[in-house]
Amino acid sequence: MAKQLLLFSFLVLAISLLRATTFAQPAAAPLPPALPATAPSPPVVPAAAPSPPATPTVGVTPSGPDNIVKILEKARQFTVLVKLLRTTSVGDQITSQLKKSHSGLTIFAPADDAFASLKAGTLNSMSPEQQIELLQFHVVPTFLSMSQFQTVSNPLRTQAGGSGKFEFPMNLATFGNSVNISTGLTNATVSNTIYSDNQLAVYQVDKVLLPMKIFGPQPPAPAPSPVKKPKKKPAAALSPSAESVPASTSNPADAAADAADTTSSSGAGRFGIRGVVAVGAAFMGTLSLL
């Protein structure tokens, strides 16, 4: 019984101490008022990238529309044509012309297999001037789309020069979607569009276009003008001389008469002089007999 009282006293004492400790602590500071929620800032919208320029319709996308050499290099299979354009400087001329021209250009480009079909040594036998003319014959100084081939006027003039029969004639004909080119020596076909925009059109052809002026027969030489013969002057009248008298005469009287006859034919009194001479000659003959 004593133990239970002692335990109960101990519990009461512990509870009293615990309460005294809790009440002795200061009251906690009140919490600050809650701030209103801040509206979230709108997300930063990145600036729209500028739209790329319209891409021209091409078989191969070149690095620049004004450089024919780069266009053909991108397309490949045009190594012979690229070499000619560089060695003759025609490629630079085309690039320069594109920057200044308002009508554009159309180029017919033979591939390597088209050059391989030429007779061996054809290019090497040509002079530098002829090689330039050959390349210029493949360039039309106007932009032509595929649809414009149907309305083009023949003969088509190229940068090589005149389109006469013995110069650089080129004629185009369309059959549906097919375009044929005739030079008088070559019949070629447009087989592919390599590049096309509103300034430059490059079409692949299956043959090298050979112009008449370089590879064709030359026009006949003009006939020489007739030589005018000089007019003959009338022969001058011969004056009577001693040469008209015979060298030998058997009769002095006859010789004198002949000489007198010759002399009298050109002067006045021709009918009386002969008789006088004849009498004189007879008289001289009589004296010689005495």
Side-chain angles (χ1 to χ4, degrees), residues 260 262-274:
T262 303
T263 304
S264 63
S265 63
S266 61
R270 54 189 299 184
F271 299 103
I273 294 176
R274 184 174 182 181

Side-chain angles (χ1 to χ4, degrees), residues 244-246 253-265 277:
S244 60
V245 181
D254 294 336
D258 292 337
D261 185 49
T262 303
T263 304
S264 63
S265 63
V277 173

Side-chain angles (χ1 to χ4, degrees), residues 25-46:
Q25 292 180 353
L31 295 175
L35 297 176
T38 305
S41 58
V44 178
V45 179

Side-chain angles (χ1 to χ4, degrees), residues 10-215:
F10 179 79
L11 290 175
V12 171
L13 179 62
I15 292 172
S16 298
L17 292 176
L18 180 60
R19 286 181 176 180
T21 303
T22 303
F23 292 146
Q25 292 180 353
L31 295 175
L35 297 176
T38 305
S41 58
V44 178
V45 179
S51 58
T55 303
T57 56
V58 292
V60 176
T61 304
S63 59
D66 58 348
N67 193 320
I68 181 61
V69 172
K70 289 185 179 180
I71 291 173
L72 294 174
E73 284 179 337
K74 287 282 186 179
R76 302 184 180 180
Q77 68 180 342
F78 295 95
T79 55
V80 178
L81 181 57
V82 168
K83 182 178 179 181
L84 284 173
L85 289 171
R86 283 177 169 165
T87 56
T88 60
S89 298
V90 173
D92 295 335
Q93 295 174 9
I94 293 175
T95 300
S96 176
Q97 186 174 354
L98 280 171
K99 294 179 180 179
K100 302 175 183 179
S101 174
H102 298 288
S103 56
L105 293 175
T106 300
I107 299 176
F108 299 110
D112 292 338
D113 54 354
F115 282 100
S117 64
L118 292 176
K119 184 179 179 181
T122 298
L123 295 178
N124 293 332
S125 63
M126 299 173 64
S127 66
E129 292 77 12
Q130 289 176 330
Q131 291 182 355
I132 292 175
E133 289 179 334
L134 177 64
L135 292 176
Q136 291 176 336
F137 187 55
H138 289 71
V139 181
V140 179
T142 306
F143 172 80
L144 295 174
S145 63
M146 287 293 291
S147 60
Q148 289 175 313
F149 285 141
Q150 300 178 359
T151 58
V152 73
S153 298
N154 289 317
L156 191 63
R157 187 176 182 87
T158 68
Q159 285 193 335
S163 56
K165 180 179 179 181
F166 297 100
E167 296 178 300
F168 300 94
M170 178 185 292
N171 294 280
L172 271 65
T174 57
F175 302 94
N177 295 328
S178 177
V179 179
N180 294 337
I181 305 174
S182 175
T183 69
L185 296 173
T186 306
N187 290 318
T189 302
V190 175
S191 56
N192 185 27
T193 300
I194 302 172
Y195 182 94
S196 180
D197 59 15
N198 293 328
Q199 184 71 6
L200 174 65
V202 184
Y203 301 104
Q204 180 178 345
V205 289
D206 60 351
K207 293 181 182 179
V208 179
L209 306 178
L210 303 179
M212 291 288 293
K213 184 176 180 181
I214 300 176
F215 299 96

